[in-house]
Amino acid sequence: MITDPEQPSFILPVKNGNFLKKVIPDTDPYKPAELRSLAIVSDGPVFPVGFEYNSYSHDIRNIGYLELDIIKGVARWIDFMGITEEELFPDRRHDCRGKDLIKYDSAMMQGDEVCFFCPGAKTTSVNKWGMDWYALLKTARKGKRKEKIIDSGLLEEIDQKKRGVHGVFSYSRQYAILTPHFDSDEWKGKQKLFELSTREYIDMQMPRGLAKGRIVQHIGNHFWVSSHNEDNLYLAVCREVK
């Protein structure tokens, strides 16, 4: 864990390593809970950590919360949870919700609340069928209180086009950076920003030479943008102009 860019990194031991064994009954020793890469932003000592568990192959459908104590030089697990599609959408028709756990792209921790960007709950191939839905969810750490800030609705009921959007929170905590999964829907493959304070979508105009660039992150008033041609991959830093 890097605490200061001018200081060397160091490892914090987890003092309650058996916690996950207590909250996750290991019914199948060949399929234990496994860490998966989750894009995270946090303004405090608690960090959401992504897990794959219980036959959901390669998807993040469970979240563990790890609390870091830099002064004492230790870390500890404090929670583990998953949310079913049925719990998230109690108002939907019964045949349009399931008992599968929802998936997670990214998380942003602020105090005891956390925002998640969730690319549906479907267990079949997104590339083949498209996403079933996507949502930006705000909840308490244990998932007991939920507010759907973005709710795409049931994408499969719009028309026969495949749809889907992924979301990553900016390090500035100002935006959710939204990237469509397909180029064939109404987004035409173009990214959008969702401003978290105003809850408005923003269409971006890239600088000359970066028309096909992809926003990677936003820090301060600068965007990090990746772009490529047939031979090279570029990373550019662009100043935000409103």
Side-chain angles (χ1 to χ4, degrees):
M1 174 58 60
I2 299 174
T3 57
D4 187 321
E6 296 183 359
Q7 299 294 326
S9 62
F10 59 92
I11 296 174
L12 296 182
V14 179
K15 68 177 183 180
N16 62 338
N18 290 328
F19 173 81
L20 293 180
K21 293 183 180 180
K22 295 178 181 179
V23 298
I24 311 174
D26 196 2
T27 55
D28 186 346
Y30 298 102
K31 293 183 179 179
E34 296 184 6
L35 287 169
R36 289 290 178 262
S37 179
L38 177 74
I40 58 173
V41 178
S42 178
D43 65 354
V46 178
F47 289 80
V49 180
F51 283 90
E52 171 194 336
Y53 174 62
N54 197 20
S55 75
Y56 292 114
S57 181
H58 306 298
D59 291 329
I60 300 171
R61 295 184 187 253
N62 287 93
I63 300 294
Y65 290 93
L66 190 66
E67 183 177 47
L68 311 183
D69 189 328
I70 303 300
I71 295 176
K72 294 183 179 180
V74 295
R76 67 187 185 98
W77 294 107
I78 54 177
D79 274 315
F80 187 88
M81 68 94 183
I83 300 174
T84 67
E85 187 177 24
E86 191 174 45
E87 291 171 329
L88 183 58
F89 299 108
D91 51 338
R92 281 190 184 168
R93 303 195 315 266
H94 186 270
D95 60 347
C96 288
R97 62 191 188 191
K99 297 184 183 298
D100 290 326
L101 295 177
I102 64 174
K103 295 183 284 189
Y104 301 96
D105 270 348
S106 58
M108 181 178 69
M109 194 86 193
Q110 292 183 300
D112 195 44
E113 291 187 324
V114 58
C115 289
F116 293 109
F117 196 89
C118 308
K122 182 180 290 185
T123 57
T124 55
S125 171
V126 170
N127 286 329
K128 184 175 181 179
W129 304 108
M131 287 182 188
D132 43 353
W133 52 267
Y134 60 86
L136 197 162
L137 168 67
K138 185 176 183 180
T139 179
R141 192 183 72 206
K142 294 188 178 182
K144 299 298 183 183
R145 183 179 69 254
K146 306 174 189 68
E147 177 189 2
K148 293 183 284 292
I149 297 174
I150 294 176
D151 181 1
S152 70
L154 295 169
L155 300 177
E156 295 165 328
E157 293 190 351
I158 298 174
D159 55 29
Q160 299 303 310
K161 289 183 179 180
K162 295 188 292 185
R163 287 177 165 80
V165 172
H166 295 283
V168 174
F169 296 99
S170 68
Y171 292 156
S172 64
R173 299 195 294 277
Q174 290 180 241
Y175 304 112
I177 303 166
L178 307 182
T179 305
H181 193 89
F182 304 101
D183 295 336
S184 56
D185 64 9
E186 55 270 24
W187 287 37
K188 303 300 181 184
K190 294 182 179 180
Q191 288 179 307
K192 294 180 185 285
L193 296 177
F194 183 80
E195 191 163 10
L196 296 168
S197 60
T198 63
R199 301 193 176 184
E200 295 178 341
Y201 290 91
I202 300 172
D203 292 308
M204 291 119 6
Q205 182 176 352
M206 292 292 188
R208 181 176 298 178
L210 291 175
K212 296 183 179 180
R214 291 281 188 176
I215 292 177
V216 179
Q217 261 301 341
H218 176 264
I219 308 171
N221 65 339
H222 290 84
F223 287 100
W224 291 76
V225 179
S226 67
S227 185
H228 68 277
N229 57 28
E230 294 181 355
D231 301 314
N232 296 295
L233 175 66
Y234 301 94
L235 185 65
V237 181
C238 305
R239 182 177 290 110
E240 180 179 11
V241 177
K242 294 186 177 180

